[in-house]
Amino acid sequence: MSAPFESIPSGWYCVAFSHELKRGEVHAVRYFGRELVLYRTAGGVACLHDAHCPHMGAHLGHGGTVEGELLRCPFHGFCFDREGACASTAYGTKPPPAARLGTWRVQEKHGFVLAWYHPRGAAPTWEVPDVDTDGWSGLISTRWELRSHPQETSENSVDFGHFTQVHAFTRAEITRPVETKGPLLTTSYQVVRSLDVVGLPGVRVDVNFDVYVHGLGYSLVDGAVPRLGMLMRQFVLSTPVDAQTVHLRIGTRSGRVPVPGLTRLMAWVLYRGLSVEVGQDFAIWKNKRYVKRPALAAGDGPIATYRRWCRQFYDEPAVEQRSVVG
């Protein structure tokens, strides 16, 4: 993929699955072109900071430890609270006011640790809504790294033309036109798909999808297969490592059914199907060239509407992200 995007769009992005971050754990991560440290306090709060200690520059993701609600530097033992302030030194002296650790706004929702990014460090202007997990299976999830951009991966939500060509759906029909309201884009569509990918060759079913795209890093798709009485909930989360590389995460939940064990089986079937479908896009995402003014044809879907909606997430001129205290 050639890289037309010189900046990272603002929004909420997944920096970890909740189950990956245990209490007291410290992880070195890289997102938004920055080295960061992600950890969970003894009290269970997920925190994200700039990686390097403001005292003498040690990387807190390599040897840093959690002490209660504090993050301890492995170099000189300075400890920082969740807001990035130096709470103590190893010498028993007053912490220097300048020893302040860059801090990122984080929220944790239904299985995801989300961080807010804005190129100028501006505060969030919107939130990812809560999703009720009652009546649904546990989350089954995975992550890939690939050369792409959140605008490219999220565009698949409205690129109806590729459904039949890439994913071999025999029909794709818009049932609710695209609507945009601030950072939210919604639409609904119905497809006819084969169940070959989940071990049921020759079986074709109608699948109804309701799509909710919250910014360019968080997409929720609620689906139903009426013939099988199956409900599905799919998450697609694209997080920029830098302006040309993303971590693409997916997660699936299945609506619960009364037969013991069947809910979990259905969840794995849905996860398998989504994994295969997303994987079918990888070679295209990695190698495609972004066409700023595509020669669109009837049947492509509302791509022009989507791209106009995307403009709100870019801040011009793009400048370096400044860490903020949330």
Side-chain angles (χ1 to χ4, degrees), residues 17-134:
F17 294 115
S18 293
H19 72 265
E20 296 176 317
L21 190 63
K22 304 295 189 298
R23 292 174 189 249
E25 286 189 348
V26 180
H27 297 266
V29 298
R30 184 172 184 270
Y31 288 113
F32 320 118
R34 298 286 290 272
E35 297 297 324
L36 305 171
V37 58
L38 175 68
Y39 66 99
R40 191 182 295 282
T41 70
V45 179
C47 301
L48 185 69
H49 297 289
D50 290 346
H52 295 97
C53 180
H55 173 225
M56 294 284 284
H59 195 302
L60 298 170
H62 296 281
T65 55
V66 172
E67 295 188 356
E69 299 304 294
L70 304 178
L71 178 64
R72 185 180 187 276
C73 177
F75 196 11
H76 295 93
F78 282 35
C79 291
F80 299 87
D81 65 19
R82 301 199 308 254
E83 286 70 44
C86 184
S88 66
T89 72
Y91 321 130
T93 56
K94 182 180 179 180
R100 189 169 193 89
L101 189 60
T103 300
W104 297 66
R105 294 178 176 90
V106 170
Q107 60 176 305
E108 194 161 6
K109 297 202 172 183
H110 41 268
F112 308 110
V113 180
L114 305 172
W116 171 260
Y117 171 84
H118 189 280
R120 291 182 288 104
T125 54
W126 54 278
E127 301 289 335
V128 171
D130 291 320
V131 175
D132 188 2
T133 57
D134 290 342

Side-chain angles (χ1 to χ4, degrees), residues 191-227:
V191 302
V192 176
R193 59 169 295 177
S194 167
L195 298 185
D196 292 9
V197 296
V198 296
L200 295 174
V203 178
R204 296 186 178 276
V205 293
D206 290 341
V207 187
N208 302 315
F209 292 109
D210 295 317
V211 180
Y212 307 89
V213 185
H214 299 274
L216 300 181
Y218 183 102
S219 295
L220 165 65
V221 181
D222 278 338
V225 185
R227 176 178 170 185

Side-chain angles (χ1 to χ4, degrees), residues 261-272:
L262 184 57
T263 299
R264 185 69 174 173
L265 175 62
M266 290 171 58
W268 274 105
V269 168
L270 295 173
Y271 167 77
R272 168 65 178 167

Side-chain angles (χ1 to χ4, degrees), residues 10 21 40 98 106 139 149 174 196 228 231 241 267 280 291 305:
S10 62
L21 190 63
R40 191 182 295 282
V106 170
L139 185 72
H149 187 275
I174 299 173
D196 292 9
L228 302 179
L231 297 177
V241 175
Q280 290 168 338
V291 179
T305 300

